[in-house]
Amino acid sequence: MSVLIYAENADGKFKKSTFEAVSYAKAIADQNNTGLTAISIGDVSSDELAALGKYGAQKVLSVTNDKLKNFVNQAYASVIAEAAKKEAATIVVLSNSFSGRGLAPRLGVKLEAGVVDGAVVLPIQTDGKFVVKKTAFSGKAFAMVELTSAVKIIALTPNSYKVVETDGTANVEEFAVEPKASDLKEIVKEIMRSTDKVSLPDAEIVVSAGRGLKGPENWGMVEELAELLGAATACSKPVSDSGWRPHSEHVGQTGISISPNLYIAIGISGAIQHLAGVSSSKVIVVINKDADAPFFKVADYGIVGDAFEVLPKLIEAVKAY
Ligand code: FAD
């Protein structure tokens, strides 16, 4: 047996969530006294690939086929499944990112494997059982899931496992695969948003605002606080539906799920659909002028007050810190 980790990259660079998943996979490999292989798809420099060794990968399979330049669930899942078979991997780990959530079930079908998405801690392996703790009911509860299949797929929730550096090195090998035409999709048009802001799914701090901010012209203070804290910005669904903010910032049941170390919610009521995407944040701070806003029930810290008075004071306080 061995463990395989899919090392997801963004524009040729591995994300923090990838290093978390590699560290997690390494710990599982150690639990089972076996080796860890990483697979990378796309144009990634040899230095970047070799750096995966620092987090525990002993071998890195690099796939650079031009047909796989753009992410396509089906094609990527086929390649990762090929790699899993080549390495006789019985455990495949991915990040529970947007791509990971698309890949995990497809890998499950291709490898006839049980799948756990949203894993939050290392599997418990006792008495021949393999049990994984995962978030359930949109983050409102945890479930313990026993995997009984020979091959197991685990998608790790970003920000739930620490990046652990080792003194290891990785051997990088080219892995030549030819994707099936039926797996590929023709890209008609690609729209890229270029930004130097912190990426929302990977952010450790998120400053988020809702309809309480009244209009897009008031987001300057949200942006300013986010910049001061090195945070990403997010918003509630009605805010992005109204075109006040881009859809890429919408968090919740129908948006992105995040679990930053600190989530600051400003003028957001805390509807169940919003909480579904943010309730696994480590610390939640709520600013709302309504003391009965449901968000306060899940807040670690709360400020009852008008955002237009509280935010400028908070910004000044952070600047003075
Ligand atoms: P509101 O509900 O209008 O709340 C505004 C809040 O701001 C209030 O609590 C108010 O007290 C406060 N406020 C007002 N003025 C101020 C001020 N000056 N200072 C401080 N506070 C102030 N929503 C999501 O966010 N994400 C989702 O993924 C999502 N998915 C959904 C899926 C479905 C199927 C459905 C039905 C709904 C979904 N929703 C989602 C919508 C959700 O139910 C709520 O309607 C939405 O989250 C409310 O957004 P809000 O809190 O910004 O606005």
Side-chain angles (χ1 to χ4, degrees), residues 210-212 214 236-238 250-255 267-269 271 273-274 287-290 293 305-308:
R211 220 152 34 178
K214 318 285 182 226
S236 65
K237 183 174 185 293
H250 153 202
V251 288
Q253 183 185 320
T254 46
I268 303 177
S269 55
Q273 297 89 354
H274 184 86
I287 302 170
N288 198 305
K289 69 175 186 184
D290 175 7
D306 187 328
F308 293 91

